Structures are given as structure tokens and as C-alpha cells.
Amino acid sequence: MRRGLMAWDRDEIPPGAMEARLERLRVEMKHDGLDAFVAYTNIARGAAVCWMTGFTPYWNEGLVLVGATGNPLFATALSKRVADWISSVMPLGDVETTPKPSGLIGSLIAKSGAKRIGILELDDFPAGHAQAILQSVEGLQLVDATATYALARDAMDDVELRLLATANRLAGASCAAAKVDAREARDFIAPPESVARLGGAEECFALVAQDLSKSGAFLRTESLGALGETFAARVSLAYKGVWTRQTRSFARDRAVQASFDKAALALEHFRPEAAASISDQIARSFGSLGRIVNWVAEQPRGSCPLAPVADLANTPQAKVPATPFVLNLELEIAGARWIGARLTNL
Amino acid sequence: MNTDAIKARKVALQEAMEREAVEVLVLFGNNWHADHLRYATDFGIQEGQGIAIVRDDGSTTLILDDAAECERARAEAPTLDAIFAPSLMLEVKRQLARAGNHKIAAAPYHLLPFGLLHGEKDLRVSDGASIVDHLLMRKMEVEIASVRRAAKLADQGYAIFRNAARPGRKDYELVAEMEGFFRANGVAENFMIIGVGGVEVRGMAPPSGKILKKGDLVTTELTPCFEGYYAQICRTLVVGEPNDAQRSAFAQYLESMEAGIAAVKAGVTAAHVAKAENDVFRKYGLGEYVTSEYTRVRGHGMGLFPDQKPQILEDVHIVLEAGMTLIVHPNTYHPAVGYFVLGDSLVVRDDGHELLCGTPRELFSTILQ
């Protein structure tokens, strides 16, 4: 669950910026002939609703209804006692708490006379909510509006870029707090989590690849044992709903650590040219440091806070995204696995 | 990893499927509702979504839509058949098509992807709640062992919380200390909300940057998760010395919680426990504050989900069974002092209960420097 700082600072997220986002969505809705737009949210799939309203439910679930005019409505199954709190931390939208949010959304759609409803990620939309909305009005048409949303969401505005910069700073401080001399992986990763949350992170997932000589998989604290000779920390965190990741690799051996530091520095300074091939630019910047094993570029997509937008295995010819992205990179440096991740092109 | 619990759950699930004559069970999960998926696979999902397909021959396939999560699943559970599929819905459809005309059930049914059920005339999937819900509520002894460990961690965690709660600190800084402690002690998840202030505070929520000051009540629910199982503790502390109203309120909540706990035993209903708690409030003229205007539940079940059935309410007539794990908490608003919480986790036994929390039932206070 979200248990870090959840607060709204008007200087950080001015209402006008949120209204501009809503307007962009309405332009696309009109273009696609949608009478209304509905998006689902929970802690795993909160990115779209957060982009529209500035809020992610810390627990439970909710739906946002965007009509042709007026404020979006956030309907949530959270207790009515937290409705005022939600209103105080949600920059845009009205709040209704109800045990059946889709029933409420359906009744509002019925009242408005809307017939063609765009649903974000219709195939993945929870079936129970879809059925409840469909049952509310005869002849209602639910259409997939993932592309509609994507067009509205395409650019990153100044508000998002500023929040991303804060998230990036927090992720850097968090990774730097890893207790590198710890024997147990749990002791290694506990300080980064505290540092992220002390800095105001809304959420933090701190994972460890405890022995890079055996595996590059990042595990949760419940599965961890002793650290190996080389190991890595991966911190994924949200600040005011904006997510980033950072990964740092460490080695007990000083010479290996020195080669890891070089790779980390190269990643920190990596500024690929927009619209050029990512693969080519990664090869140019990192090829001399080691063998390029894998890379994955991530950005927010639909309801996912971070999702792959390009990777070596499936889209090796992909171009550099126009907006900042998280680059996850794996190299083999003199026989050792090195993994890094950073926000790129901010 | 509690391997005994994993094995026992697998057997219990197979038996339940056989009883209901279900050949394929589809279980959906994400970081919010991870319980069904965890029951079948022991995988604690963090990012993205997943579906487990459990077959009547005992084989299970875990399908995840996040590649890094799939890599983690393979590392944490090497015997698990884990598949990465960017489209969960398409992969599950493909897998179910292979199952042919088998009898398929799914849970939690309402959260299943719409595309999986919609427009598939040949794919008949029924609601699998009757198979899974009871397994999630009534725990086996090997599962209770993990809940017991989680409760100990809740006690230890609350001690950290008390020490962290000092005047001038921000509410989220308390959470940060807690989370560092939990990560260092193998706790991967924690459900936690907090309230800071006085009569203006109507409930708990995530921290919003409030600064602790003298006289504030600081309420929290801590719910660490150990080996997938949650246990909860609820306590209230005062920044500085409690005043008479705060002491008096605490005495009422303590009497209510103890009345509720005393009412717990196998064979009684959740409503019976709620009534025992609420009668104490009514006795003190506070009956208004046990309604849904001021409180959600008077306790609830816990296990692989931190807030599972049975909800302890006067209109919930689920019969308590030995092996259910609950928290009894008469948490609600008090007109004289604000939102106030007190609760302990326990196991329902045939003749009463086994208490899991060991933190003293006190109105704690922080020392002012």
C-alpha cells in the first residue's frame, strides 16, 4: 500500500496545470466521438488516474469519470471517512465514496444520456465494473480508449518534469544510502527505503540482486540472504504519483568496483539524442566498458507507472523517446555482471 | 519461505477444487489484492498484474505481465512455472483454450480482465469464491505460525514507532523509520495508516506531512506481512502527558476491546463480537460513534490479505471458526478527544482465542524534551 507522504502542494501541482491536462483529454475524446471517458485505478495501476487528478488511492480501488464538461468524478470504495482527506490531497476532481463505484459511475452515465463510453485499457478493465456500467444503461457502448488517452498523455508538462526531477534526486539519495559493507542483503537495503521515505517518497520498492555472479533477479526482503561478492540495489519510487527507478551495482573487490563506477558514471552522463537509435547510442557510450547484455527503456504507459517502451530483445531499432525515460542497462564487464538504471534525458 | 504452508495450501486447494468439481481455477492478483495469487503460488506480486492457472492435476502456471517480476518469481520460487506475457488476457485465453471444455472457475471474479470473459462464447468461467474464500479465512496451523511471527513483528514495529514519535517530527518520518526496520527484518509489505491531532481528526490515512506537537493523539494501524501473512496492531499514543479526557477515552476503548475479545470463540458470529464492543460505547452514551458515520468496522479477518472476511460488524452473521485470524479493534471517533484506536490480533479457538499481540494495552505517551 501507499504509506509514504501523500500531500498536495499547490506550488508543485497548480490546479491550472491539471485543468490543462483534462482539456487535452477532452480534445481527444471529442475527436474520437466519446461522450465520456472512464479509467480504473488501484495501487498497481494508478498512473492514468493520477495524471488526470493527481491522486492514487493508497488502498482499495476507484474509477474516474470524465464527461464532456465539469470536474472529473473520482468514485472510490474507500471509506467515506477519508473523503475529505482525499479532497485535500487531490488537486483536481470531485470525490464520492461508495461500496460500488462502478454502480455510481453507471448511474451518472445514465443520467447524462451518454452512449459511447471510452474505457482506458478495456480488455484489462475489471470485469465486475464493466458489467455494472453496462447494466446501468441499455444500449451503452464501451469502446477501448487507450489510444485516446495516450494521445492526450503524450507530452510531459512542466509539472511532471519538476516532480520527476525530485523523484530522481530521491532515488539517487536512496541508492547512495545502501549499506555496502553489510553482510546480509536485508541490512544493505533497509537504509535506502528509509531515506526515500524520509525525503517524502509516496512509495518505495527497494529490491536486491544479492549475488550478481549467480543471478540478476531483484528480490524482495523476505527472500534475501547473504550478499555475494557483487550485488546490486534497485530502488523504484514515487514522488507525488510520478515514478522513477535507479539501480546501482557494487563489488567487494576494489578493482571490480572501479570498473562498476565507470559504468555508473557513463550512465549518469548518458544523454542520447532524441529520435536517434537507442541501440546505436548505447553501443557508442557503453561498448568500450563491457559487452552489452540487455537494455530496457521505460516510461509511464496507460495505467502503468513504468512500462517498457523499447528493449533490446524486441525493438532493437527503436528510437530514443522524446521525453525522459528510465534506462535499465545490463553489461558484462570483465566477466562480471553489472546492472544500472537511471532516469535519462531529464 | 514457509514451505510447510505452501505444501499444505496446495493440498487444500486441490481438495477444494475436487469438492466443487472444478478442473481449472484462475486466480487473479496485483499488489493490492495479492492474496489469491499468493495462496496458489506463494509469489508476492509487487508490480503489474498476474494470473495463476491451477489445474486439477496439481500443476500451476503463473502468468505475469511484468518481465522483472517474472524474473523475480523464477528466482524466488524456482519450481514454479512462471511465464512473462505483455498481455495477460491473451496469454490466459491461450492457456484456457488448451484446457478445452473443462469446468473453469475464477477468483476474485469481479477483478478478472473484462477481455477474458467478454465475447468468448466457448469459454464459460464461473465465480470461484466458494472454493477460495473459506480457505483464505480459516487458516491451518502451518499458516497460523506465519501470522504469529507477523504479530511479533507488529509488536516490535510498534516499539520503533513509539520511539520515533517525538514533538517536531513529521508523520511520514515515523513511517520511514518503521519501514527501514521492517525491511531489515524480512517484512516485504506493511499496511499502515496514521492520524495526528485532536478532535479535528476523524480517521486515519497515509501521512500528509503533519508535525507532531504537544497534546496530539497519534494513532496508527501497523500490519506487517511475514511470509505473505499479515497481522495487525492498533495503538494510540499522546505527545506528552495524557489529559483526563484522553485517559477516560482510553479506558472506554480498552473496556470495549476486551469485551470484544472475550466474546470471540468458535461458533459465535462476527455480529456477536461487534455487539459486545459496541454495547460498551452505548453504555457510555457513545452509541452514535459506532455507526458508519464514524467508523468502518469493529475488526476484521487477516491473513494473506490485511483486511479480509469476516468484517466484525453487527450485521455480519458469518460464524467464527477455529483457525480464523482476526483483529478486534473498536476504532472510532470520540467527541472529546478525536479519532482513537486500540486493537489486538488473535486466533479463534474452540474455547475462546489465542492472543497474538504482546504490546501492553496502554495509552502510551512520549517524553517531551
Side-chain angles (χ1 to χ4, degrees), chain A residues 92-249:
Chain A
L92 184 68
D94 299 325
V95 182
E96 288 285 347
T97 58
T98 161
K100 295 180 178 170
S102 45
L104 174 65
I105 296 281
S107 68
L108 291 171
I109 288 171
K111 212 180 287 179
S112 73
K115 289 289 180 194
R116 189 173 146 84
I117 312 300
I119 304 281
L120 180 70
E121 297 157 353
L122 179 60
D123 275 345
D124 275 337
F125 196 73
H129 293 316
Q131 294 299 347
I133 293 171
L134 280 170
Q135 282 163 12
S136 63
V137 194
E138 205 169 318
L140 197 67
Q141 190 189 3
L142 301 187
V143 298
D144 182 53
T146 308
T148 310
Y149 173 79
L151 284 170
R153 174 75 177 89
D154 192 33
M156 285 185 182
D157 56 27
D158 289 346
V159 167
E160 186 170 10
L161 291 170
R162 282 198 300 270
L163 295 176
L164 204 47
T166 303
N168 189 44
R169 277 196 300 277
L170 276 178
S174 174
C175 276
K179 195 163 182 273
V180 183
D181 59 354
R183 199 182 76 82
E184 294 295 323
R186 287 171 179 176
D187 296 328
F188 163 73
I189 202 61
E193 173 114 15
S194 287
V195 165
R197 291 179 185 278
L198 279 170
E202 177 181 306
E203 183 57 287
C204 177
F205 298 146
L207 307 184
V208 183
Q210 60 191 357
D211 187 347
L212 288 171
S213 70
K214 292 179 180 159
S215 170
F218 285 88
L219 309 184
R220 299 206 303 183
T221 184
E222 61 189 346
S223 308
L224 295 173
L227 291 170
E229 287 298 306
T230 53
F231 45 92
R234 184 175 93 149
V235 172
S236 310
L237 63 80
Y239 178 76
K240 306 282 169 81
V242 172
W243 282 80
T244 191
R245 281 194 223 285
Q246 209 166 108
T247 301
R248 283 186 64 181
S249 293

Side-chain angles (χ1 to χ4, degrees), chain B residues 54-299:
Chain B
V54 184
R55 302 174 192 87
D56 58 359
D57 64 1
S59 66
T60 300
T61 302
L62 173 63
I63 304 157
L64 296 163
D65 66 3
D66 183 288
E69 285 286 88
C70 189
E71 200 179 354
R72 180 165 69 83
R74 288 173 183 149
E76 290 182 344
T79 57
L80 192 64
D81 176 24
I83 295 173
F84 162 61
S87 169
L88 202 57
M89 190 266 299
L90 289 178
E91 180 59 27
V92 174
K93 267 188 177 176
R94 197 177 69 79
Q95 296 264 343
L96 293 181
R98 275 200 219 154
N101 291 321
H102 287 183
K103 192 175 171 194
I104 302 169
Y109 193 78
H110 70 288
L111 291 179
L112 287 183
F114 179 64
L116 185 62
L117 302 178
H118 187 68
E120 292 293 313
K121 286 176 187 159
D122 299 332
L123 188 66
R124 274 189 287 275
V125 181
S126 61
D127 188 343
S130 62
I131 300 170
V132 185
D133 279 7
H134 192 253
L135 296 177
L136 291 171
M137 273 195 289
R138 184 176 182 168
K139 282 87 181 173
M140 298 171 280
E141 287 302 322
V142 284
E143 297 179 278
I144 291 168
S146 295
V147 182
R148 211 177 269 125
R149 291 281 303 276
K152 293 286 173 232
L153 285 158
D155 283 331
Q156 293 167 11
Y158 192 71
I160 301 286
F161 182 85
R162 279 175 57 198
N163 288 334
R166 296 186 294 275
R169 297 205 81 187
K170 292 174 180 162
D171 49 8
Y172 64 87
E173 294 175 342
L174 277 56
V175 177
E177 280 201 31
M178 293 288 323
E179 294 301 322
F181 167 78
F182 281 145
R183 289 310 88 73
N185 285 276
V187 173
E189 296 279 356
N190 173 34
F191 179 96
M192 179 176 183
I193 43 181
I194 188 169
V196 175
V199 288
E200 77 285 3
V201 179
R202 296 278 171 147
M204 293 185 289
S208 49
K210 275 192 176 176
I211 298 170
L212 275 63
K213 63 182 189 308
K214 186 183 172 188
D216 280 346
L217 289 182
V218 182
T219 54
T220 192
E221 282 187 359
L222 289 187
T223 325
C225 175
F226 186 77
E227 293 172 338
Y229 292 89
Y230 290 87
Q232 189 168 87
I233 187 169
C234 306
R235 289 291 185 273
T236 300
L237 64 81
V238 183
V239 181
E241 279 298 306
N243 60 32
D244 289 345
Q246 290 165 335
R247 286 185 209 278
S248 168
F250 172 76
Q252 292 162 347
Y253 284 71
L254 178 63
E255 186 179 336
S256 171
M257 182 184 76
E258 292 187 336
I261 289 175
V264 170
K265 68 175 179 178
V268 307
T269 62
H272 175 74
V273 177
K275 184 173 182 307
E277 293 179 65
N278 292 346
D279 280 349
V280 173
F281 280 81
R282 288 189 274 258
K283 183 177 86 178
Y284 290 110
L286 297 167
E288 182 186 352
Y289 300 98
V290 302
T291 64
S292 62
E293 267 312 301
Y294 295 96
T295 184
R296 187 178 67 88
V297 289
R298 320 306 285 146

Side-chain angles (χ1 to χ4, degrees), chain A residues 254-335:
Chain A
R254 281 186 184 186
V256 178
Q257 183 62 55
S259 65
F260 280 12
D261 288 344
K262 269 188 193 168
L265 197 64
L267 184 59
E268 190 181 338
H269 292 112
F270 185 52
R271 298 280 183 278
E273 289 169 31
S277 156
I278 306 181
S279 277
D280 289 351
Q281 297 195 69
I282 287 175
R284 209 174 302 143
S285 295
F286 298 94
S288 62
L289 298 172
R291 183 172 71 85
I292 295 156
V293 178
N294 195 18
W295 61 260
V296 179
E298 294 180 294
Q299 286 188 313
R301 190 179 63 201
S303 65
C304 295
L306 285 174
V309 291
D311 64 87
L312 178 61
N314 298 301
T315 52
Q317 301 308 316
K319 307 291 185 200
V320 173
T323 48
F325 62 98
V326 173
L327 178 63
N328 301 269
L329 181 65
E330 180 177 337
L331 305 177
E332 185 191 308
I333 303 174

